[in-house]
Amino acid sequence: MEGKIKVCLILTGVFSILVTSVLLMFIFQGAITEQVKENVKINSETICEAYSLIEDMEELSGFESENLRISLITPTGDVLYDSDEEASNMGNHIERPEFKEALESGTGEAVRHSATLGTDMYYYAKRLSDGNVLRVAMEAENMYKVFERVFPFIVLISAVVLLASIVVSVFLTKKLVKPISVMVENFENIDENSVYKELRPFVTEMKEQQKRKREIEKMKQDFTANVSHELKTPLTSISGYAEMIQTGIAKEEDIKDFAGKIHRECGRLITLTGDIIKLSEINEINTEKDFGPVNLYELAAETVEALNFKASKDNIKITLTGDVCYVTGNKGMLEELIYNLCDNAIRYNKPGGSVEISLKRMGGNVELSVKDTGIGIPEKYHERIFERFYRVDKSRSKETGGTGLGLAIVKHIAMQHNANIQVISQPGEGTEIKVIFN
């Protein structure tokens, strides 16, 4: 970072020099050109005033100077006199723009580049009282000439500015980066060390990320501890029953019962492992890549068909009502959400009870409702039922094969789909869980 800041400052200095130099050259050339024009006009006026007093054209030589060229041209374009060339050797000037303009309006001017001299010449022509045209010319330095003159100064100034840029960049870089380094070193007190107001949003975001990181770490630790505990109980039971059978402690008539208990505990382990894998998969799904239009009604109908047999064993009626509703999401995750809600509604229901699934549109939202006639949940537990491994009735949950992860999976899927969950329940009056997709 420090290196980049230094390079940027140095390049800014060099760029500033180049731009300033080019602008100054244009300004110098403009100023020089204007000065040349003014000098030529003044000389022209002086010669014109003296012209009526001279008897011989050769007397015009008295007005010559090193940079001034004087020409006298007839109305037909023939050169009568020229201070730099033999007049008889010069061509006709009838097409020269300054000459034509002087004949028409009294005065004319033009700037032409001389490839031989490598300079720009400024011509000023004025029509005299006898009809002849007096033309005065002077060299005007072009951009290249100006550049040659100022180039040594540009090099000198560039070297000074470059050296200053390096010194300033080193100083400013250290001054700019030091507070950031202090912030990083004292991350716990990052608010107190934030000297740049522009970094406040960054600091806030960093604190939030740190907070989330800690929460995630704690959740991982809690989850690991809970998983260990949940796995330990059935494994201990399996190990105990198996050992009794192996050592012969179990009576022959009890072996079948023990085998059934081992089978049941193995089933719990398989279900628990499956739920843990589902939780991991939910966090790995890409919401942009794996999301698309999903027909919730169709998924609910498939769930009803899949759970009909399980519900019928306890004489529980499961029904689906509502409209065909589409949401944007992951089909597998939403299928899992509906299945877990319905499975819980059957698991904690009463014999002869019912489970009602309904779908309806509410403006731009879609509401999925799963309502049962089961044991109900006290209000103080409404939030906690979505925690991993939390069970209101632990004994019943284990009897029915519950892992305590079903509603935790539901909550995670809802969060992935930006959906809200509402719980309506009272002990003995059943439970209704609504998932509202925005």
Side-chain angles (χ1 to χ4, degrees):
M1 181 179 175
E2 290 186 32
K4 288 183 179 180
I5 294 175
K6 289 176 185 176
V7 171
C8 287
L9 289 172
I10 292 170
L11 290 178
T12 301
V14 173
F15 179 74
S16 300
I17 294 169
L18 294 175
V19 172
T20 304
S21 301
V22 172
L23 290 175
L24 285 175
M25 282 192 290
F26 277 108
I27 293 170
F28 288 156
Q29 186 185 28
I32 292 170
T33 301
E34 288 302 316
Q35 186 62 49
V36 168
K37 288 181 179 181
E38 189 64 27
N39 290 340
V40 169
K41 287 179 181 180
I42 292 171
N43 278 281
S44 177
E45 292 298 329
T46 302
I47 296 170
C48 286
E49 289 178 6
Y51 178 76
S52 60
L53 302 175
I54 64 176
E55 297 178 356
D56 188 351
M57 290 183 298
E58 294 300 324
E59 293 181 33
L60 291 171
S61 61
F63 298 96
E64 294 177 11
S65 64
E66 185 180 352
N67 295 323
L68 198 68
R69 181 179 181 179
I70 304 170
S71 304
L72 185 63
I73 308 167
T74 67
T76 57
D78 295 320
V79 180
L80 295 175
Y81 172 82
D82 190 89
S83 59
D84 287 2
E85 297 285 343
E86 184 65 38
S88 59
N89 295 332
M90 298 180 68
N92 192 282
H93 282 43
I94 193 71
E95 294 299 325
R96 300 294 171 90
E98 71 277 5
F99 174 75
K100 292 172 67 177
E101 190 179 349
L103 286 178
E104 294 172 2
S105 60
T107 60
E109 58 183 285
V111 178
R112 285 195 295 278
H113 179 72
S114 172
T116 305
L117 298 174
T119 60
D120 290 336
M121 295 295 293
Y122 173 66
Y123 297 90
Y124 181 77
K126 186 171 183 177
R127 188 178 64 215
L128 302 171
S129 57
D130 61 2
N132 290 331
V133 173
L134 179 71
R135 187 182 70 174
V136 180
M138 184 179 283
E139 178 183 329
E141 287 186 294
N142 60 20
M143 183 65 72
Y144 302 105
K145 289 284 185 180
V146 175
F147 182 74
E148 287 177 4
R149 287 178 59 185
V150 302
F151 181 73
F153 299 100
I154 292 175
V155 173
L156 179 61
I157 293 170
S158 298
V160 173
V161 174
L162 184 60
L163 181 61
S165 298
I166 293 172
V167 174
V168 172
S169 67
V170 172
F171 173 74
L172 287 179
T173 301
K174 287 183 178 179
K175 191 171 181 180
L176 288 168
V177 173
K178 187 177 179 181
I180 299 175
S181 300
V182 172
M183 284 170 54
V184 174
E185 291 170 3
N186 299 277
F187 189 81
E188 295 299 325
N189 302 312
I190 196 168
D191 279 336
E192 299 172 10
N193 300 311
S194 176
V195 295
Y196 301 128
K197 63 179 182 180
E198 293 82 3
L199 289 177
R200 292 295 169 86
F202 169 75
V203 170
T204 303
E205 180 63 25
M206 288 291 290
K207 288 196 72 177
E208 287 297 320
Q209 286 187 8
Q210 188 71 4
K211 183 179 177 182
R212 287 197 295 268
K213 185 177 178 182
R214 287 172 181 168
E215 288 175 356
I216 291 170
E217 286 299 322
K218 187 177 184 306
M219 286 175 62
K220 284 182 178 178
Q221 292 174 0
D222 292 344
F223 183 68
T224 303
N226 289 331
V227 168
S228 300
H229 175 74
E230 292 293 328
L231 290 175
K232 186 177 180 180
T233 302
L235 285 173
T236 301
S237 297
I238 292 170
S239 177
Y241 291 132
E243 185 179 4
M244 290 174 69
I245 294 172
Q246 182 185 26
T247 57
I249 295 175
K251 298 178 182 179
E252 189 173 346
E253 60 269 20
D254 294 330
I255 291 177
K256 186 176 180 180
D257 182 50
F258 286 175
K261 290 179 179 177
I262 291 172
H263 181 265
R264 186 168 61 253
E265 295 295 340
C266 285
R268 281 186 61 199
L269 282 176
I270 292 169
T271 304
L272 180 61
T273 305
D275 284 348
I276 293 170
I277 292 171
K278 286 171 190 173
L279 272 174
S280 301
E281 289 175 346
I282 289 169
N283 293 323
E284 292 175 2
I285 287 179
N286 187 320
T287 56
E288 292 182 5
K289 181 181 177 182
D290 300 321
F291 274 34
V294 178
N295 186 341
L296 281 185
Y297 191 90
E298 184 180 339
L299 291 185
E302 292 173 358
T303 302
V304 169
E305 186 177 349
L307 290 173
N308 250 327
F309 177 75
K310 182 176 182 179
S312 63
K313 288 196 296 183
D314 290 322
N315 196 26
I316 295 171
K317 186 179 180 181
I318 180 168
T319 58
L320 170 63
T321 60
D323 308 314
V324 173
C325 297
Y326 281 85
V327 297
T328 300
N330 179 274
K331 184 177 179 180
M333 290 170 66
L334 293 174
E335 187 175 22
E336 188 70 30
L337 179 143
I338 297 172
Y339 186 93
N340 281 2
L341 287 175
C342 295
D343 185 57
N344 257 36
I346 295 169
R347 191 186 305 277
Y348 297 101
N349 215 317
K350 300 173 182 176
S354 65
V355 175
E356 298 175 7
I357 310 165
S358 65
L359 279 161
K360 64 180 178 180
R361 296 184 181 279
M362 300 189 307
N365 301 332
V366 172
E367 181 187 278
L368 166 69
S369 168
V370 178
K371 185 176 182 181
D372 64 56
T373 56
I375 60 175
I377 305 167
E379 189 173 351
K380 62 180 180 179
Y381 299 128
H382 284 188
E383 291 295 326
R384 299 205 63 190
I385 59 174
F386 297 100
E387 295 176 11
R388 295 170 178 177
F389 300 111
Y390 185 81
R391 303 179 181 90
V392 177
D393 188 342
K394 295 182 180 180
S395 59
R396 173 154 184 172
S397 178
K398 291 185 178 181
E399 284 176 10
T400 57
T403 62
L405 289 174
L407 291 181
I409 292 172
V410 168
K411 181 182 177 181
H412 274 70
I413 295 174
M415 289 172 61
Q416 291 277 58
H417 290 76
N418 295 319
N420 299 318
I421 300 178
Q422 294 180 3
V423 179
I424 304 167
S425 181
Q426 289 295 331
E429 298 180 9
T431 301
E432 181 180 13
I433 296 181
K434 296 179 179 180
V435 181
I436 301 168
F437 297 88
N438 301 315

